[in-house]
């Protein structure tokens, strides 16, 4: 029945369907970024591998973008979009699949807890004279099954699932926007496309909120007794129900494919576009004989594409803009990808809270900034130079505001043997021998396991054993370790105090600084995004109209290849260099990072972000000089060629009348092959 509906109704239905598809793909994409730390811990992989997984979406997109762009418009576009949504949903489900294969999550710990009893084994087993090198291995360990071996390769399923998501996402934007542009009234097309883009901004908000909700839920919820789980969401070993969000996002994406199967391949052409098409056909028809041989050679891809590409790449303004955008996108993508992780590690927030803040504060600020930038550009009727100055000014102001982040640092957490000595003196180096002290020399302790406890003195110890604790009371998260010989009060040097499970919280000064960090983050995000729309319009206006499609295609290809794929990888690799203590995989070897040097993390993460933008500003100065020269050249050409173009148009009108006398059989309604 839908095929017999009015074209306007079908256009509205396609608009609603496309908006839902945009929402679904934006939701799943932002949810992927919200699960970065969860995936690191679950699969025991470093940050650079997470960057590879995150960039795999762009890899999948690039694999088929040329094929879809060329053949998609000639096929049934709604059904091609439906197939893409189905592939996206299958890819999302594939990402969640490892959870159902690798078994239960085993928490890294140095203590074996007794079952159904309040009397636990002693955290500090006595050493024997023969065990002089026993510190290299744990004396008491949880059972380690061979299932840990499969965890090593399970992240490949996440990688392949994200590649499949990228392949499925490819036809949604180009085919959806072109369908609207072809069959909507000209005065409504821009409004429809704006509505679709606006709806897509809502997707990341819900994606990060979904990530916040799932991060609160334990990964094996429903399969384990939560009373036996001794870690909290703020622990470096906590893994939330990351797989649950992918099942929800995959289901929503699958639902978005349904309406497209019932939409027609094409609609009646609107009157204004129908008239334009007829005029174009008549104009081509009247010059048919004179252009026959020229058009024949223009059919060849080389004869048409290569000169066009040379013309585009010969535009210095476009090339400079492209390099500036690539640098800015590298900075932006790297910063956004690891911003929730930065909030977690630097300010001691849980993954759930970090994702919630991203979804409720940062993303709306960016959306408002992009919308406000478009409004300002329209209200003040900014030209090409005005748009360039506005985009540069907002980016520069946001840059100076971002410099303040470097001063909003928190001290490293006090961890005995890693950031401070056992006497409380600040020392920043991790060596296994530094974890041993006279206070725990009587214990046979593992110096590799990460099972932190917080002493009464505010210092974190890597394990109850290394804290010198000899007994414990309570069960689960309420366990308290007693007679801890390493827990000393600095003022009295009184020992044998207690310790509780988990890492000590950050200092009050860091907690007080966090709201200011959020406020500055929102303000800088809003100001930087103000220039997003004017910068994009600068791209469109600095090139010839006939080169716009190719220019946008190369722009998309370059930003995804040179920014979307490498930025998460090298940002993650640099973050890995600041790790002080790596976890241990179930089958041995280095796992996910447990604690970072927060000062080095802040300097490298923010320094790389700001450094890339600094280089882009120097290119912008050069670009302004080129743009001024380009505008003067265009104005000069317009003045000198204005009269010549008018005379040429008059000659063309006279020749078209003459042509009509010799081509009486030409039918403007017939499809031309020129």
């Amino acid at each position: 029945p839908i095929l017999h509906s009015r074209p306007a109704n079908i256009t509205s239905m396609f608009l609603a369907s496309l908006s839902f598809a945009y929402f679904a793909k934006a939701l799943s994409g932002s949810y992927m970024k919200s699960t970065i730390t969860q995936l690191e811990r679950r699969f025991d992989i470093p940050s650079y591998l997470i960057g590879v997984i995150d960039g795999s979406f762009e890899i999948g997109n690039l694999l088929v973008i040329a094929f879809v762009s060329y053949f998609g418009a000639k096929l049934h576009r709604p059904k091609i979009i439906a197939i893409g949504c189905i592939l996206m949903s299958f890819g999302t489900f594939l990402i969640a699949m490892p959870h159902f294969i690798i078994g239960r999550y085993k928490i890294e710990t140095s203590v074996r807890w007794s079952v159904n009893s309040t009397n636990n084994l002693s955290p500090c087993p006595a050493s024997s004279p023969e065990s002089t090198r026993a510190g290299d291995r744990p004396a008491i360990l949880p059972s380690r099954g061979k299932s840990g071996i499969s965890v090593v390769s399970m992240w490949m399923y996440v990688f392949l699932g994200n590649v499949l998501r990228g392949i499925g996402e490819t036809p949604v934007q180009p085919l959806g926007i072109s369908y609207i542009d072809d069959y909507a009234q000209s005065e409504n097309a821009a409004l429809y496309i704006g509505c679709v883009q606006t709806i897509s901004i809502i997707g990341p908000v819900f994606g990060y909120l979904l990530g916040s909700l799932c991060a609160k839920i334990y990964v094996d919820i429903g399969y384990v007794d939560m009373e036996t789980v001794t870690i909290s969401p703020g622990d470096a070993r906590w893994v939330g129900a990351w797989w649950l969000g992918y099942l929800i996002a995959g289901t929503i994406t699958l639902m978005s494919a349904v309406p497209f199967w019932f939409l027609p391949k094409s609609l009646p052409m609107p009157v204004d576009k129908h008239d334009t098409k007829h005029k174009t056909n008549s104009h081509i028809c009247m010059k048919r004989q004179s252009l026959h041989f020229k058009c024949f050679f223009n059919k060849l891809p080389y004869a048409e594409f290569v000169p066009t590409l040379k013309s585009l790449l010969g535009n210095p303004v476009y090339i400079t803009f492209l390099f500036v955008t690539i640098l800015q996108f590298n900075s932006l993508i790297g910063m956004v990808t690891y911003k929730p992780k930065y909030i977690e590690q630097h300010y001691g927030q849980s993954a759930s809270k970090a994702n919630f803040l991203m979804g409720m504060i940062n993303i709306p600020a960016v959306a408002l900034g992009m919308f406000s930038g478009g409004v300002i550009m329209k209200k003040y009727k900014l030209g090409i130079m005005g748009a360039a100055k506005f985009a540069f000014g907002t980016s520069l102001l946001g840059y100076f505001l971002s410099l303040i982040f470097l001063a909003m640092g928190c001290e490293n957490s006090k961890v005995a043997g890693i950031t401070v000595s056992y006497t409380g003196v600040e020392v920043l180096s991790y060596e296994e021998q530094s974890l041993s002290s006279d206070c725990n020399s009587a214990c046979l302790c593992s110096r590799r396991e990460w099972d932190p406890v917080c002493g009464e003195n505010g210092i974190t110890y890597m394990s109850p054993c290394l804290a010198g604790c000899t007994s414990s009371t309570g069960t689960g998260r309420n366990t308290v370790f007693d007679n801890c010989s390493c827990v000393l009060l600095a003022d009295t040097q009184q020992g044998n105090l207690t310790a509780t499970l988990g890492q000590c919280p950050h200092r009050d000064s860091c907690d007080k600084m966090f709201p200011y960090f959020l406020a500055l983050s929102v303000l800088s995000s809003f100001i930087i995004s103000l220039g997003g729309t004017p910068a994009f319009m600068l791209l469109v206006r600095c090139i010839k109209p006939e080169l716009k499609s190719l220019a946008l295609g190369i722009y998309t290809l370059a930003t995804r290849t040179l920014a979307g794929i490498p930025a998460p990888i090298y940002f993650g690799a640099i973050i890995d260099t600041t790790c002080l203590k790596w976890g241990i995989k179930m089958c041995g070897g280095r796992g996910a990072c447990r604690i970072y040097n927060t000062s080095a993390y802040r300097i490298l993460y923010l320094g790389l972000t700001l450094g890339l933008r600094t280089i882009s500003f120097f290119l912008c100065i050069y670009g302004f000089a080129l743009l001024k020269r380009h505008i003067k050249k265009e104005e000069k050409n317009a003045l000198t060629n204005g009269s010549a173009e008018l005379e040429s148009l008059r000659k063309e009108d006279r020749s078209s009348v003459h042509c009509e006398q010799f081509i009486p059989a030409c039918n403007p309604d017939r499809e031309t092959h020129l």
Side-chain angles (χ1 to χ4, degrees):
I2 192 172
L3 297 177
H4 302 287
S5 302
R6 297 177 59 187
N9 294 338
I10 299 178
T11 303
S12 300
M13 295 177 69
F14 181 85
L15 177 64
S17 303
L18 187 64
S19 299
F20 187 40
Y22 263 66
F23 170 81
K25 74 183 184 69
L27 184 146
S28 59
S30 57
Y31 182 77
M32 162 61 76
K33 293 191 178 296
S34 75
T35 59
I36 279 179
T37 54
Q38 312 295 308
L39 295 175
E40 277 187 28
R41 297 167 185 172
R42 185 65 184 96
F43 299 109
D44 277 326
I45 55 178
S47 294
Y48 84 90
L49 273 183
I50 284 293
V52 173
I53 293 173
D54 187 72
S56 63
F57 177 85
E58 305 292 349
I59 295 175
N61 207 292
L62 292 173
L63 286 175
V64 297
I65 190 169
F67 178 83
V68 170
S69 299
Y70 184 77
F71 292 102
K74 301 180 181 181
L75 303 174
H76 197 300
R77 281 179 285 185
K79 288 187 178 180
I80 297 296
I81 295 174
I83 294 173
C85 291
I86 292 174
L87 288 177
M88 275 197 295
S89 67
F90 285 173
T92 309
F93 291 140
L94 182 60
I95 293 174
M97 190 181 69
H99 171 75
F100 304 97
I101 299 176
I102 59 179
R104 305 289 169 259
Y105 175 56
K106 293 180 176 61
I107 301 170
E108 180 187 3
T109 181
S110 61
V111 177
R112 179 186 294 154
W113 303 95
S114 60
V115 182
N116 296 328
S117 173
T118 59
N119 297 320
N120 298 316
L121 294 175
S122 172
C124 176
S127 62
S128 60
E130 296 81 9
S131 59
T132 56
R133 298 180 62 190
D136 292 335
R137 61 184 185 275
I140 301 175
L141 288 175
S143 59
R144 294 179 178 271
K146 293 183 179 179
S147 62
I149 298 176
S150 63
V151 179
V152 177
S153 58
M154 282 295 107
W155 66 269
M156 287 297 298
Y157 287 93
V158 182
F159 176 88
L160 294 175
N162 211 31
V163 170
L164 192 58
R165 280 188 56 247
I167 293 174
E169 189 268 350
T170 306
V172 176
Q173 179 173 353
L175 301 188
I177 297 300
S178 65
Y179 193 91
I180 291 177
D181 188 57
D182 285 346
Y183 301 118
Q185 296 288 342
S186 297
E187 64 271 14
N188 296 332
L191 176 62
Y192 291 162
I193 295 173
C195 290
V196 172
Q197 299 287 356
T198 303
I199 295 296
S200 68
I201 295 175
I202 303 175
V205 175
F206 282 88
Y208 278 105
L209 291 181
L210 180 61
S212 174
L213 175 64
C214 293
K216 287 182 180 179
I217 306 171
Y218 186 64
V219 60
D220 292 321
I221 186 71
Y223 296 97
V224 297
D225 182 5
M226 292 303 296
E227 294 296 327
T228 63
V229 178
T230 58
I231 58 176
S232 64
D235 195 287
R237 296 163 294 170
W238 175 271
V239 177
W242 60 275
W243 52 273
L244 181 59
Y246 285 111
L247 295 181
I248 295 173
T251 303
I252 293 174
T253 307
L254 187 61
M255 291 170 56
S256 69
V258 175
F260 291 105
W261 290 106
F262 303 99
L263 291 167
K265 179 180 180 180
S266 60
L267 295 173
M269 189 74 68
V271 176
D272 54 349
K273 296 180 180 180
H274 187 73
D275 292 341
T276 304
K277 182 179 179 181
H278 275 213
K279 291 178 182 179
T280 304
N281 286 341
S282 299
H283 180 72
I284 295 174
C285 178
M286 286 184 288
K287 297 188 176 182
R288 184 168 185 170
Q289 294 178 339
S290 62
L291 297 178
H292 176 74
F293 292 103
K294 182 179 178 181
C295 290
F296 174 77
F297 286 107
N298 282 343
K299 287 181 181 180
L300 299 176
Y302 178 86
E304 183 178 355
F305 177 74
V306 174
T308 305
L309 182 62
K310 286 182 178 179
S311 176
L312 179 63
L313 298 182
N315 186 337
V317 177
Y318 174 77
I319 296 299
T320 305
F321 178 85
L322 195 60
F323 278 112
V324 169
T325 305
I326 289 172
L327 288 171
Q328 293 273 7
F329 269 50
N330 270 272
S331 174
L332 176 65
I333 293 172
M335 184 268 293
V336 171
T337 300
Y338 294 101
K339 190 169 186 178
K341 182 182 176 76
Y342 178 77
I343 293 174
E344 290 179 51
Q345 298 297 330
H346 199 75
Y347 294 100
Q349 305 298 321
S350 66
S352 175
K353 187 173 182 180
N355 290 327
F356 178 81
L357 294 173
M358 284 290 291
M360 291 301 295
I361 298 179
N362 269 79
I363 301 299
V366 171
L368 181 61
M370 293 180 67
F371 176 79
S372 301
V375 171
I376 291 173
M377 191 170 182
K378 181 179 179 181
K379 181 177 180 180
Y380 294 99
K381 299 179 180 178
L382 298 179
I384 184 171
M385 182 57 74
K389 291 180 179 178
F390 183 77
F392 179 79
T394 54
S395 183
L396 190 62
L397 179 58
Y399 171 82
F400 286 126
L401 289 176
S402 299
L403 289 174
I404 304 176
F405 287 131
L406 290 170
M408 291 184 165
C410 292
E411 297 178 357
N412 284 301
S413 300
K414 291 185 176 181
V415 182
I418 298 180
T419 60
V420 295
S421 67
Y422 277 83
T423 58
V425 179
E426 185 175 352
V427 178
L428 197 62
S429 65
Y430 171 67
E431 296 179 0
E432 289 192 6
Q433 57 267 26
S434 66
L435 296 173
S436 298
S437 179
D438 293 338
C439 60
N440 57 31
S441 60
C443 301
L444 183 61
C445 299
S446 165
R447 293 181 293 194
R448 297 182 180 180
E449 301 290 335
W450 177 261
D451 191 18
V453 293
C454 180
E456 281 188 77
N457 56 358
I459 296 178
T460 299
Y461 299 85
M462 268 186 54
S463 69
C465 182
L466 289 172
C469 305
T470 58
S471 62
S472 64
T473 57
T475 58
R477 296 181 189 177
N478 299 320
T479 301
V480 177
F481 297 93
D482 305 308
N483 302 318
C484 303
S485 57
C486 293
V487 182
L488 305 173
L489 293 179
D491 51 351
T492 63
Q493 293 298 312
Q494 178 184 357
N496 294 331
L497 301 176
T498 62
T500 56
L501 281 172
Q503 199 170 336
C504 292
H506 282 246
R507 293 177 174 271
D508 292 339
S509 58
C510 192
D511 293 335
K512 292 178 181 178
M513 188 179 296
F514 184 58
Y516 296 102
F517 167 81
L518 288 179
L520 184 62
S521 177
V522 171
L523 180 61
S524 61
S525 298
F526 172 77
I527 292 176
I528 292 173
S529 59
L530 274 174
T533 302
F536 188 78
M537 294 308 298
L538 172 63
L539 168 68
V540 175
R541 293 179 180 178
C542 73
I543 53 180
K544 298 177 181 178
E546 62 270 19
L547 300 178
K548 285 182 182 179
S549 297
L550 180 61
L552 291 174
I554 293 178
Y555 168 84
T556 303
L557 179 66
T559 52
R560 288 184 171 179
T561 305
L562 302 178
I565 296 175
I569 298 175
Y570 67 76
F571 263 82
I574 288 176
I575 290 172
D576 285 337
T577 62
T578 66
C579 183
L580 293 174
K581 174 65 179 75
W582 292 95
I584 306 298
K585 290 184 179 181
M586 298 298 293
C587 56
R590 195 173 77 173
C593 186
R594 301 306 186 196
I595 182 171
Y596 290 89
N597 179 350
T598 54
S599 298
Y601 192 146
R602 181 182 75 256
I603 293 172
L604 289 178
Y605 170 73
L606 296 176
L608 182 58
T609 301
L610 296 172
L612 289 169
R613 291 168 62 185
T614 302
I615 299 173
S616 71
F617 288 143
F618 285 108
L619 283 177
C620 283
I621 296 173
Y622 175 69
F624 271 115
L626 292 176
L627 186 60
K628 288 181 180 179
R629 192 184 309 166
H630 173 78
I631 293 175
K632 289 181 179 179
K633 183 179 179 181
E634 291 295 323
E635 290 176 349
K636 184 178 180 180
N637 291 338
L639 292 174
T640 56
N641 297 335
S643 57
E645 289 178 359
L646 181 60
E647 182 63 25
S648 175
L649 288 174
R650 290 173 179 172
K651 290 181 179 179
E652 184 177 340
D653 289 338
R654 290 193 295 268
S655 63
S656 64
V657 174
H658 182 70
C659 176
E660 288 177 351
Q661 298 174 0
F662 291 94
I663 316 176
C666 182
N667 185 1
D669 293 330
R670 184 182 303 168
E671 182 180 0
T672 178
H673 296 282
L674 287 178

